[in-house]
Amino acid sequence: MIPLAEAQARIQRDIHPLPVVSVPIAEARGLVLAESVVAKEAIPPFANTAMDGFALRAADSAGASPETPISLPVVATIAAGSVASRPLIGGEVMRIMTGAPIPEGADSVIMVELTRPTSGHDDSTSSDVSSIELLAEVASGNHIRPAGDDVRAGVTVLSPGEVVTAAHLGVLASLGYESVLVHKRPRVGVFSTGDELISGPTPLQPGQIRDSNRPTLLALVEESGCIPVDLGWLPDNEEEIEAALVAAVGPDADNVCDALVTSGGVSMGDFDFVKKVLSRLGDLNWMQVAIKPAKPLAFGLLMGTPIFGLPGNPVSSMVSFELFARPSLLAMMGKRDTQRLTVLALAEEGFLRPPDGKIHFVRVVVDQEPDGSWLARSAGGQGSHQLTAMARANGLAVVPDGDGIRPGGMVKVLLLG
Ligand code: AMP
Ligand code: MG
């Protein structure tokens, strides 16, 4: 057996970010920027009002209060998207809506709540109000958002290595970008192997089970931000496995994959052909990793493409994906931070275990208390075939080798999702 960190390091050596491509911004979310984004123009592009109200010269409001209101004529209305037809002069106001450009000659905005219509109206925003009373003094610059207040033209706003989020898309759109340079989103093929597997509602024949790994692994691939490619099922047959692996990554592949994830066929059984094929064709690293579940792992490069040969037991394949495939796929996307968040949780019940040289990953439910602390309890049966506990779990408790963790002890938990 080799330590988990060593297995992860061996894989990491063979994993590199995918090439840089230009993608429409609508497809860029979750990808990693590969260019600096320099603002060609200022945001906002012109000084505008942060409030609905009236543009004025601040000096004209001197001394205004509810007891000593100052009455001024309303000479124009400026909506967002329009501009005043003439400059503002002293002793008048222009009605102005949030986002509209400040008219030349005005240096301030008074919000509508601090004004009142001079006569005949209850609402000074009404467009037929011809004059208003100021009920407060305002300072020069009041409620004005200057041009370039968010971004000055010429500055670098986004940098390579940043993961494109919803807010990044907004920044790119404000600057007029339609596409952006990012690391390619990996296409990841998923195979299941095993003569015992069928899919769908067909009644099970003796010895058969339904393929649960493929939908799960395809979903994990998608959750990682990659494009899942369903490559179906393969029997425990060396020739068929070889042909399918080569077809998925070879130069003649229709839809070439950037990585493959297989499940089953990597243990010590007589029919574990994924391991055999990879060791013959590829640059295989077959590992017995000192973890439970998910001890066997076959990792190799086939014609330069990483292949993750995960164990077949449903929980094992998920834990193996979590510890080996997911960080690698994120690194292929160019991400620097490939690790799950971890929290230190109080063990509500014991996570006891015998020493066996392995780190145990226990499926747990963690809850955060109002004071911010975390509590962990088992999500159910911990067998590597017991997928329902995995379905309930929102974390994997990391129980180091030894006697385990007593009730009330602290345990590190990887947060899933
Ligand atoms: P293997 O790694 O091929 O020896 O499989 C280990 C265990 O996982 C066996 O009990 C298999 O029947 C089961 N198994 C393998 N592949 C799948 C799958 N795709 N879905 C559900 N169970 C599987
Ligand atoms: Mg098998």
Side-chain angles (χ1 to χ4, degrees), residues 25-375:
I25 65 165
E27 293 166 25
R29 193 176 67 83
L31 297 176
V32 177
L33 265 186
E35 65 174 318
S36 292
V37 172
V38 177
K40 293 183 292 286
E41 41 194 36
I43 311 175
F46 50 84
N48 67 93
T49 172
M51 288 283 176
D52 292 327
F54 296 89
L56 73 164
R57 291 193 177 168
D60 288 343
S61 70
S65 75
E67 295 73 38
T68 58
I70 296 174
S71 181
L72 294 173
V74 180
V75 298
T77 296
I78 317 164
S82 68
V83 291
S85 55
R86 65 160 176 86
L88 178 139
I89 54 173
E92 64 183 22
V93 300
M94 291 183 179
R95 183 176 295 106
I96 190 164
M97 311 304 157
T98 303
I102 303 296
E104 203 185 308
D107 63 2
S108 180
V109 170
I110 184 167
M111 65 174 168
V112 71
E113 292 86 340
L114 295 178
T115 67
R116 113 183 132 208
T118 304
S119 61
H121 291 275
D122 355 307
D123 178 4
S124 28
T125 50
S126 168
S127 58
D128 48 351
V129 168
S130 58
S131 67
I132 53 142
E133 287 178 345
L134 310 181
L135 305 178
E137 283 186 20
V138 290
S140 172
N142 194 50
H143 297 319
I144 293 181
R145 305 187 285 209
D149 200 26
D150 186 12
V151 174
R152 277 174 296 113
V155 302
T156 300
V157 278
L158 306 177
S159 301
E162 289 183 38
V163 178
V164 178
T165 63
H168 285 80
L169 295 180
V171 172
L172 289 164
S174 338
L175 292 170
Y177 276 72
E178 289 185 308
S179 60
V180 68
L181 294 181
V182 289
H183 290 280
K184 182 180 178 229
R185 194 184 290 281
R187 289 172 55 80
V188 182
V190 177
F191 282 115
S192 291
T193 70
D195 285 343
E196 72 278 32
L197 302 176
I198 64 161
S199 293
T202 321
L204 295 170
Q205 298 303 312
Q208 290 187 327
I209 59 165
R210 295 199 176 84
D211 178 356
S212 63
N213 290 350
R214 195 147 41 99
T216 298
L217 292 169
L218 286 165
L220 289 176
V221 164
E222 189 167 22
E223 279 176 21
S224 310
C226 301
I227 302 166
V229 182
D230 186 351
L231 296 177
W233 161 87
L234 291 169
D236 290 315
N237 174 294
E238 195 162 343
E239 288 72 43
E240 288 195 46
I241 291 176
E242 172 171 342
L245 291 177
V246 170
V249 301
D252 302 329
D254 288 342
N255 262 325
V256 80
C257 290
D258 301 299
L260 293 184
V261 174
T262 69
S263 72
V266 296
S267 316
M268 312 267 258
D270 292 346
F271 302 98
D272 287 332
F273 293 119
V274 173
K275 178 180 132 194
K276 293 197 180 95
V277 168
L278 283 178
S279 60
R280 209 157 35 70
L281 293 187
D283 165 19
L284 175 87
N285 249 302
W286 183 67
M287 304 181 237
Q288 297 268 72
V289 189
I291 55 175
K292 184 179 176 179
K295 182 169 73 157
L297 171 71
F299 171 77
L301 296 178
L302 183 58
M303 291 179 257
T305 303
I307 303 195
F308 298 87
L310 310 184
N313 273 307
V315 177
S316 306
S317 70
M318 288 188 77
V319 170
S320 193
F321 183 93
E322 192 54 48
L323 298 177
F324 304 111
R326 184 178 176 277
S328 303
L329 297 178
L330 298 185
M332 289 172 74
M333 296 172 82
K335 295 192 180 178
R336 291 167 192 162
D337 186 6
T338 62
Q339 299 306 308
R340 290 285 198 191
L341 283 181
T342 60
V343 296
L344 210 52
L346 181 95
E348 280 191 271
E349 57 189 299
F351 299 115
L352 300 176
R353 44 151 301 171
D356 59 4
K358 299 179 195 164
I359 301 172
H360 289 200
F361 287 89
V362 179
R363 278 68 77 201
V364 295
V365 177
V366 282
D367 288 310
Q368 194 167 24
E369 296 294 281
D371 68 0
S373 65
W374 293 85
L375 292 180

